Amino acid sequence: MPTAYLDYAATAPVRPEVRRAMRPFLGESFGNPSSAHKLGAMAHEAVEAARAAVAELLCAKPSGIVFTSGGTEAINLALLGVAQQRQTPGHLITSSIEHHATLETARFLERLGWAVTFLPVDSHGLIDPDEVRRAITSKTVLASVMHANNEVGTVEPIDEIAAITRERGVLLHVDAVQSVGKVRLSLGDIDLLSLSAHKLGGPKGIGALYVRPGVSLAPLIHGGGQEGGLRSGTENIAGIAGLGAAAQAVARDAEAEQHRLTQLRDRLADGIVYTTGGVRLNGPPTNRLPGFVHLTIEGLDGHWLVKELSRAGIYAATGSACASGQTEPSHVLTAMGVARETAKGAIRLTLGWATTADDIRFAIQVVPQAVERLRSRRASGDDLAAEYARDCRTARQHVIAGLLTSAFSRLRRSIR
Ligand code: PLP
């Protein structure tokens, strides 16, 4: 059965060059970068080469890059690292459409006595820079704004926001997990910036925080003093090497990919919207990530559509990976003023480095058919929940059967 992976906002397949870059560090080059011998030096070199590659992607100095366990940790380090430098609670400005990594850290700070402003957005998910200006008080220490939203793909006016925070002496952290390498990004007046390897075709469990020279942070993890004391713990060398290779690939292809993915994205959106009734494309028409198509489909539950598409070979999402499986409509759509019933019919199709024109042709054929199938089955009162539960049970049985078969063959080999 043909398949098309259209869930790059959740994670991207690992690039072949990334796998090649990681392999030695999972095998013969297993040294600890803190060791004084040759194996240690090789690991140290790999870490510094990756740091230079990430710095080059951001047009930053390598000394400003701190490796973390991913985007979530980078965001926590930025927000809590600034907060812990202070004796007294301050004021944080963020938006109502941030990723949960930011929202939950902001709520944690609220519990510690910080005041937090959650800025509203317009119907496209755009933050008005003037709202940032108005929200700043004498207590404001930090603003944290995402560069691009992970559900609808809205790209925020980050340069304008950064100019305001700089002018008012407020630190700015930017969650660029979805945007790095996808749209133009200039560090300009940004003080802190988070990124994650697995959105770039790198491995999961590794990311980085850019820290502008002169910005002072307190570490969250204490220990041996690795990463300039900001992130103790023996480094994930294979992961770091993978992030470095992904950063190089993204920097090399950025412009061409932006153009290619914008064309594919528009073909996909038009192909679905023009052939399927009751479909609305969300997000701004222009300031949207190249690989993002976010739709709301009338009279359908996006959750069931994702399952129906998966059966037909299309891997999509209802919104953010973390929110899938939740019955509440997404906080992003709610903040954009999308009605509760409409928000339930949300589906996100996201493209990336390995997406081909064939994937898009396939999706344009399959998505409208799946929508029609679900609509007619709903109309005839089919029990979709029972059927998908049966599918899950069958999938689980396949996994268990596979595990038992390999355990038996290992046992047979050991007896012989
Ligand atoms: N920020 C945004 C905008 C994201 O989309 C994600 C992941 O989906 C994260 C932060 C968290 O990154 P990670 O999965 O590396 O922890």
Side-chain angles (χ1 to χ4, degrees):
M1 182 175 81
T3 58
Y5 181 79
L6 296 176
D7 198 12
Y8 277 76
T11 197
V14 177
R15 297 169 187 263
E17 61 266 56
V18 167
R19 256 179 265 148
R20 278 196 297 277
M22 293 175 72
R23 208 166 285 141
F25 305 101
L26 298 168
E28 69 283 2
S29 302
F30 56 85
N32 182 329
S34 301
S35 299
H37 50 66
K38 193 171 147 197
L39 279 178
M42 280 163 69
H44 178 76
E45 246 172 58
V47 171
E48 294 317 312
R51 201 185 307 281
V54 173
E56 199 173 322
L57 175 65
L58 298 178
C59 296
K61 290 214 172 81
S63 57
I65 306 298
V66 180
F67 291 117
T68 64
S69 68
T72 300
E73 188 188 324
I75 292 167
N76 273 263
L77 177 57
L79 272 57
L80 302 179
V82 167
Q84 285 183 33
Q85 284 289 76
R86 295 173 51 87
Q87 308 291 329
T88 52
H91 173 224
L92 165 72
I93 297 171
T94 187
S95 87
S96 45
I97 60 161
E98 298 297 310
H99 187 270
H100 289 289
T102 302
L103 292 177
E104 291 309 316
T105 309
R107 287 186 190 120
F108 176 68
L109 283 173
E110 267 186 322
R111 292 196 289 279
L112 296 182
W114 278 62
V116 181
T117 303
F118 295 93
L119 296 174
V121 292
D122 72 7
S123 61
H124 289 314
L126 281 163
I127 298 165
D128 177 354
D130 280 336
E131 293 273 4
V132 178
R133 192 191 298 280
R134 279 194 288 273
I136 295 174
T137 70
S138 57
K139 297 248 167 62
T140 311
V141 176
L142 175 68
S144 183
V145 174
M146 64 195 335
H147 187 205
N149 180 262
N150 51 301
E151 289 191 35
V152 289
T154 305
V155 178
E156 302 296 345
I158 216 70
D159 293 347
E160 285 175 66
I161 293 172
I164 293 168
T165 49
R166 173 55 59 95
E167 178 199 315
R168 303 289 297 272
V170 169
L171 292 172
L172 176 66
H173 165 252
V174 173
D175 171 357
V177 166
Q178 291 289 345
S179 64
V180 162
K182 317 266 170 60
V183 282
R184 192 197 66 82
L185 171 67
S186 143
L187 283 179
D189 292 327
I190 294 170
D191 300 292
L192 299 151
L193 180 139
S194 296
L195 61 89
S196 175
H198 73 106
K199 311 289 184 182
L200 309 174
K204 292 166 189 58
I206 187 78
L209 179 68
Y210 158 76
V211 185
R212 169 185 289 288
V215 172
S216 176
L217 291 182
L220 304 185
I221 299 177
H222 304 268
Q226 290 89 342
E227 294 298 298
L230 277 176
R231 210 291 182 173
S232 286
T234 302
E235 298 86 339
N236 168 5
I237 311 300
I240 290 173
L243 170 55
Q248 273 178 337
V250 165
R252 183 192 61 214
D253 302 340
E255 224 170 281
E257 273 297 89
Q258 204 171 323
H259 180 67
R260 187 183 77 88
L261 291 177
T262 303
Q263 283 194 327
L264 290 179
R265 169 197 81 181
D266 292 344
R267 204 180 302 161
L268 175 63
D270 291 350
I272 297 173
V273 172
Y274 293 138
T275 56
T276 319
V279 176
R280 191 195 132 102
L281 178 64
N282 299 304
T286 49
N287 295 339
R288 191 151 48 91
L289 284 176
F292 262 68
V293 175
H294 187 280
L295 305 166
T296 36
I297 304 184
E298 239 171 60
L300 271 196
D301 187 326
H303 191 65
W304 295 133
L305 182 56
V306 166
K307 289 186 181 297
E308 186 65 25
L309 286 174
S310 171
R311 288 170 129 199
I314 301 277
Y315 304 129
T318 52
S320 78
C322 311
S324 63
Q326 287 178 1
T327 47
E328 282 302 299
S330 109
H331 66 285
V332 176
L333 297 184
T334 308
M336 286 164 59
V338 176
R340 208 183 153 83
E341 264 319 295
T342 312
K344 274 193 183 164
I347 176 142
R348 181 188 72 185
L349 302 158
T350 45
L351 290 53
W353 70 267
T355 308
T356 63
D358 279 346
D359 292 331
I360 301 307
R361 267 193 291 276
F362 180 52
I364 292 172
Q365 184 196 334
V366 169
V367 175
Q369 286 170 356
V371 170
E372 282 320 308
R373 217 165 30 243
L374 273 185
R375 278 183 174 151
S376 61
R377 294 189 50 192
R378 260 190 60 143
S380 59
D382 279 4
D383 187 355
L384 295 171
E387 189 172 329
Y388 291 122
R390 250 194 327 273
D391 268 9
C392 283
R393 270 200 304 279
T394 317
R396 264 202 308 274
Q397 280 159 3
H398 278 303
V399 172
I400 293 168
L403 289 173
L404 285 176
T405 313
S406 66
F408 275 130
S409 55
R410 265 203 311 276
L411 189 65
R412 254 207 316 268
R413 273 199 305 275
S414 70
I415 290 169
R416 268 194 237 127

